[in-house]
Amino acid sequence: MLRLKKKEPEPKEPLSAELLAVIQQLGELEAVLTTTKESKNAGHPEYKLIVTDKKTLQSYEVADRFDAFRKVKAVVEKESKGLMVAVFPKTFAKSSIGVKLSKSELAARETGLNAYIAEMLTKLEQMNEKEVRLIADFMGLKHLNVASKTAGRAAKKIEQAFIAKRSSQQGGATKSEEVKVEGVEQPAMARGRGCCTMS
């Protein structure tokens, strides 16, 4: 009998040192979500989320429909199964066909979203790059997003510098010089060495 080999889950992309350092420097992130007026799209309610860094008092604001928060939740729970304890608010079928939620249903959803988001923001260090990028983009946490992108660009520049230097070494003696790639400087490497260090 033919047995199908179970597909192994893809390894997570770990947090870069740069992004982890930025997260660790943050103050306590306080999230306050409230239900606002109905959106122009089919009368669905919108939810305004304000995230405040209590260390710097800098605030970030986003207003969106429930579906947008649900998409963030789907990525977090796929990438980090079992990480979240808080229960994400349920989806009401009647809402999808334009039937308004009652005041008690809206209040329950608001309470559930607040609890879920509050816990999520305390667990950024336990997530991977994909999750943190998504949360940063969605919530407008610009310093997190910039740190993530900067780390990626820096790694690419180092790789380009290494390739450029290795190519220049082929067929001749290594010269004591620096390779410059888009503002990243790499010291010359002796032939046969497989790593480089940043000055």
Side-chain angles (χ1 to χ4, degrees), residues 54-80:
K54 297 180 75 173
K55 181 179 180 180
T56 63
L57 300 183
Q58 187 170 5
S59 294
Y60 308 87
E61 182 177 321
V62 61
D64 218 324
R65 288 175 49 186
F66 179 70
D67 185 59
F69 292 90
R70 186 170 54 198
K71 288 177 180 177
V72 174
K73 167 256 186 187
V75 172
V76 170
E77 297 198 353
K78 178 182 177 182
E79 296 292 321
S80 297

Side-chain angles (χ1 to χ4, degrees), residues 157-158 161 178-188 197-199:
K157 288 178 181 179
I158 293 172
E178 290 183 341
V179 176
K180 296 183 180 180
V181 180
E182 298 180 9
V184 174
E185 295 185 351
Q186 290 295 320
T197 56
M198 294 183 66
S199 58

Side-chain angles (χ1 to χ4, degrees), residues 15 19-20 22-23 26 29 49 51 58-63 68 71-73 75-76 117 120-121 123-124 127-150:
L15 286 177
L19 185 52
L20 180 59
V22 172
I23 293 174
L26 292 175
L29 294 177
L49 173 66
V51 179
Q58 187 170 5
S59 294
Y60 308 87
E61 182 177 321
V62 61
K71 288 177 180 177
V72 174
K73 167 256 186 187
V75 172
V76 170
I117 293 168
M120 186 170 63
L121 291 175
K123 294 184 174 178
L124 293 175
M127 297 180 184
N128 62 24
E129 288 275 339
K130 180 178 180 180
E131 294 166 277
V132 174
R133 287 189 193 124
L134 176 66
I135 293 169
D137 283 336
F138 178 66
M139 296 186 180
L141 303 175
K142 296 179 180 179
H143 49 327
L144 285 183
N145 197 34
V146 168
S148 179
K149 290 181 178 179
T150 300

Side-chain angles (χ1 to χ4, degrees), residues 2-10 81:
L2 180 63
R3 292 186 178 180
L4 296 177
K5 185 177 180 181
K6 185 177 180 181
K7 185 179 179 181
E8 295 295 330
E10 295 183 3
K81 291 182 179 179

